[in-house]
Amino acid sequence: MDHDALGTVPEPGPGTGDRERAGLTADGDGAAVLDELRAVIGRYAVLPSDEALTAVTLWVAASHIQPALQHAPRLAVVGPTKGCGKSRVLDVLHETVHKPMMTVNTSPAVVFRVIGEDPPTLLVDEADTIFGPKAGDKEDLRGLLNAGHQRNRPAWRISGPEHKATAFPTFAMAVLAGIGDLPDTIMDRAVVLRMQKRKPGERIAPFRSRYSVPELNALRDRLTAWLAPLRSTAEDLVPQMPVEDRAADTWEPLVIVADLAGGHWPSRARAACLAMTRNEVVQDEQTTLKTRLLRDIRRVFEQQGDQEALRSHDLLAALIQDAEAPWAEYGTKGLNAYHLANLLRDFGISPANHGFENHRQAKAYARNQFLDAWARYCSDPAVGETVVARRAQGKPPASPSGTLPIGAPGGSAGPRPTR
C-alpha cells in the first residue's frame, strides 16, 4: 500500500458538489438534522472517536439516498471481545437507517429477493460467523456482501420452475458487527468502527423501546424528508475527495451527504475520512506483523516435531535466530516474553504453566491454542512470509504524517479472539 500520496482536506468548491452549483438553499436544515442525529447517537453509544461519530452519522444519512449512489459502503462495527457496544450501535442504526433489515440468520435466498431498485439497509449481527473455516453454507451471503459494494454486480442463479438463469441485484448498504476484524474483502470496503469497552465514568443513555424508538424514528423521518427529494441532485454530485481508489469509493457517499448539508459538515466529513483511513493503515501494518508471527511460530512448532507445547524461552530463541525474520530487531533489544504475549493477546493466545520431563514446570505456549488462529490467518504457508523489517518496531507504527493510502481503508483480516 502506497503511503506517499499527499492528502489534505479539500474545501468545497466548483466541481465538488457545493451548494450553489447543486441549487440548494442555505437554510441549514440538513446540517441541523445531522447535528441532532450525531448528538443522539453519541448519547446512546460510546464510539472510538469524534471522527467515528461523524462517520456513523453520515453513513446513516447516506442510506437514505442509496438509489443515487454508485457504491454502498459497509460499516464494520468490530471489537476485540463481547460487551464493546456493538449491539447498541445496531439498535440505534436499526431505528434510523433507510428500510432496515436485520440478517442474523437470514437465508441468502431471502436477501437476494428483497434487494431491488430501492434496497434495504442490511444489518448483520455476529458477522464473524459468516467468515472463516466454519462458514459452510453461508458462502452465498458472504459473496453477496462482497459484490453489493458496487452497483451493477448482480448474482446469477437458476430460478423458477423453468430453471432460467436469473440476475439478482446485490447492491445494498450493510452494517456488519462482530468480534475481531472481518476479512480484508469486507474491511477494505468499509468504514471501520473499532469499538472498545466503556471506561469507568463513561455513561450512555439507556435504550428503552417505549421512548428511544419513537425519538430515533422521528429523526429517521426527518432524514427521509430532507434527503429523498435530493436523490437526483446527489446522483450528479462529484465531490472532491481527500483519498483515492477504493477508499474514495467507500467514503464518497458520506461526503456527498455532508456537501448536501453544508455548514461545517463538508470539512468535518473530509477530516473524518482522513483520520479514519490513516488509522486503518496503522492497523493493517500491525495486523501484517502479527500474521507473520503466527506463521513463524507455526514453522517453529513444525521444526520441533509439533510438540504439545513449547517453553516460552525456547520459542523466543527460535524466532530470534531466524536471520530473515524481524524478531531479533524488534523493540530495543529484540523480541522478549512480554512482546510475544502482547502480540498474541488479540488472538486469545497466552502462555501458561506446563509440565515437561522430570515433572518440571515452565511457562509455555500450547500448540492447540494456535490452531484456530492458524486456520483463519495462515491457511497458505507460502503467503505473507516476506514482511518489511521496518514494520517490526517495538511500538505501533506512527500514523503517517501528511500522507494517505492509495486504495483501501482496511487491510488484512485482523486478530479475532477465540470465544
Side-chain angles (χ1 to χ4, degrees), residues 55 191 241 243 246-255 269 272-273 276-277 409:
V191 175
M241 299 295 297
V243 291
R246 184 165 285 163
D249 295 340
T250 296
W251 278 86
E252 183 182 75
L254 281 64
V255 173
C273 174
M276 295 184 69
T277 303

Side-chain angles (χ1 to χ4, degrees), residues 1-7 274-285 390 396-406:
M1 184 178 294
D2 183 0
H3 298 179
D4 296 328
L6 293 178
L274 280 169
M276 295 184 69
T277 303
R278 285 170 175 163
N279 183 62
E280 288 309 300
V281 171
V282 175
Q283 291 290 335
D284 182 44
E285 290 188 343
R390 67 176 176 83
S399 178
S401 176
T403 63
L404 282 174
I406 299 301

Side-chain angles (χ1 to χ4, degrees), residues 25 28 55 67 70 104 111 127 133 156 160 210 218 224 252 254 288 321 353:
T25 61
Q70 290 302 308
V104 178
V111 180
W156 288 87
R210 65 181 180 274
T224 301
E252 183 182 75
L254 281 64
T288 303
Q321 287 171 7
N353 288 326

